[in-house]
Amino acid sequence: MKKLINIYALYYLLLGSLVVTGISCSSTKRQQISAASEEAFIDFKSYVASVENSVNSEADDAADKWRETTARVETTYKEKENKLEQFADNWSDERKAEVASLKTRYKTFRERQESEREARLANKAQMSATSANGGVAADFNTTDISSMPATSVRVAFENFVSRLQANKDSYTKEDWQTINNFYAALEARREAVEDQLTDNDKYEIAKAKTKYAAIKGTSLAAPHVKEAASDIKEATKNGAKKVGNAAEKVGSEVKSGTKKAVKKVDQKLD
């Protein structure tokens, strides 16, 4: 009987040891997961901060350079985001809020970078070019429009209209051909990303398009009005000149006729 009791005692002792060992292993694993989750969070947070502190030079605005930089930043961001998301099931509500805030910060900064680049490119084009007649030319480059992100379309329309408004009196008919091509490219891009635009974007773009139509109407009409006035003025001058020449001719002929008549009378008297 005593031997049987010892066997049971040994059995429970081993069982307890296994339970303690299991609990210990489980606790160690949780600690490891928690540490890895914290490391991934800190890495993600640091990367978002580094992107926010990045500064772009004019050289970075070139289409090829911009696409290369953007792709590199996005790839690294996605890698760190995916690594962090592996631990999402273990996040507290506080951690979930922190991660959501970081994602919003990143998205907002990238959109601002895109908008600022579009503004720099627009300003550069406006400042650098001159038209054949000496005014500010419509140097609207359509190269990057087909790859323009949806977040930049509204800004592009607004910058476009601002340039037209500022220089509308200097554009030639040739300039307007280039302007119309640029507008058509903008419209094509707007249609391509229509489902990505916000209601506010659509509203502001509609306003810009209305302004474009008004500016185009008055700017294209003005040269024709000036040309017509010039033609009338020239025709009036030419008409007056012709009348003067005719009068002068008549006067000359009358004067000549008078001289001949006087001469004939003198001859008869002699």
Side-chain angles (χ1 to χ4, degrees):
M1 182 70 178
K2 185 176 181 181
K3 185 177 181 180
L4 183 62
I5 293 174
N6 289 337
I7 291 173
Y8 278 117
L10 180 60
Y11 170 76
Y12 285 114
L13 180 62
L14 290 172
L15 182 63
S17 178
L18 290 173
V19 170
V20 170
T21 302
I23 293 173
S24 178
C25 289
S26 177
S27 176
T28 300
K29 187 175 182 179
R30 283 199 301 270
Q31 290 176 355
Q32 290 175 341
I33 292 174
S34 178
S37 176
E38 187 66 21
E39 182 181 350
F41 173 74
I42 292 174
D43 187 39
F44 182 73
K45 182 178 180 180
S46 297
Y47 184 71
V48 171
S50 70
V51 172
E52 289 177 320
N53 291 326
S54 63
V55 178
N56 288 31
S57 65
E58 287 190 10
D60 295 324
D61 287 340
D64 292 342
K65 182 68 173 177
W66 185 260
R67 282 194 291 270
E68 178 186 338
T69 302
T70 298
R72 185 176 66 252
V73 171
E74 284 293 318
T75 298
T76 304
Y77 173 81
K78 283 297 181 183
E79 289 175 352
K80 295 182 182 299
E81 182 184 41
N82 291 337
K83 184 177 179 181
L84 177 62
E85 292 286 351
Q86 295 176 8
F87 306 100
D89 292 340
N90 301 312
W91 291 346
S92 64
D93 290 341
E94 182 181 358
R95 177 51 50 86
K96 290 177 182 178
E98 289 176 321
V99 172
S101 176
L102 287 171
K103 289 181 178 180
T104 299
R105 280 169 50 186
Y106 174 80
K107 181 180 179 181
T108 300
F109 180 78
R110 294 294 295 139
E111 289 176 351
R112 187 165 74 247
Q113 273 191 322
E114 293 281 359
S115 298
E116 289 174 352
R117 173 179 177 261
E118 290 298 328
R120 287 195 300 272
L121 290 176
N123 184 62
K124 185 177 180 181
Q126 179 178 332
M127 296 295 292
S128 64
T130 56
S131 72
N133 289 348
V136 178
D139 186 21
F140 296 93
N141 191 344
T142 60
T143 303
D144 297 330
I145 292 182
S146 61
S147 60
M148 181 185 296
T151 54
S152 299
V153 172
R154 176 177 61 81
V155 175
F157 266 96
E158 292 174 339
N159 288 338
F160 169 67
V161 170
S162 295
R163 277 184 285 165
L164 293 187
Q165 186 64 46
N167 305 298
K168 60 183 180 181
D169 295 331
S170 301
Y171 293 138
T172 65
K173 291 179 181 178
E174 292 74 19
D175 289 333
W176 274 103
Q177 291 177 359
T178 304
I179 291 171
N180 292 338
N181 291 338
F182 185 86
Y183 176 77
L186 267 185
E187 265 290 270
R189 188 56 182 164
R190 179 194 63 78
E191 292 177 357
V193 298
E194 180 78 17
D195 58 340
Q196 301 177 47
L197 299 175
T198 65
D199 289 340
N200 186 55
D201 286 338
K202 294 176 182 178
Y203 174 72
E204 294 298 333
I205 289 173
K207 285 171 55 179
K209 290 171 66 174
T210 300
K211 292 178 182 178
Y212 162 73
I215 295 171
K216 178 181 178 181
T218 56
S219 296
L220 285 177
H224 298 308
V225 172
K226 292 177 182 178
E227 289 172 8
S230 177
D231 290 343
I232 293 172
K233 185 176 180 181
E234 188 64 26
T236 302
K237 288 172 64 178
N238 291 337
K241 186 175 181 180
K242 289 179 180 179
V243 171
N245 290 340
E248 183 178 347
K249 183 178 180 181
V250 171
S252 176
E253 290 176 351
V254 171
K255 185 177 181 181
S256 177
T258 301
K259 286 182 177 181
K260 290 179 180 179
V262 170
K263 186 175 182 180
K264 288 180 179 180
V265 170
D266 290 342
Q267 289 175 347
K268 288 182 179 180
L269 291 176
D270 290 342

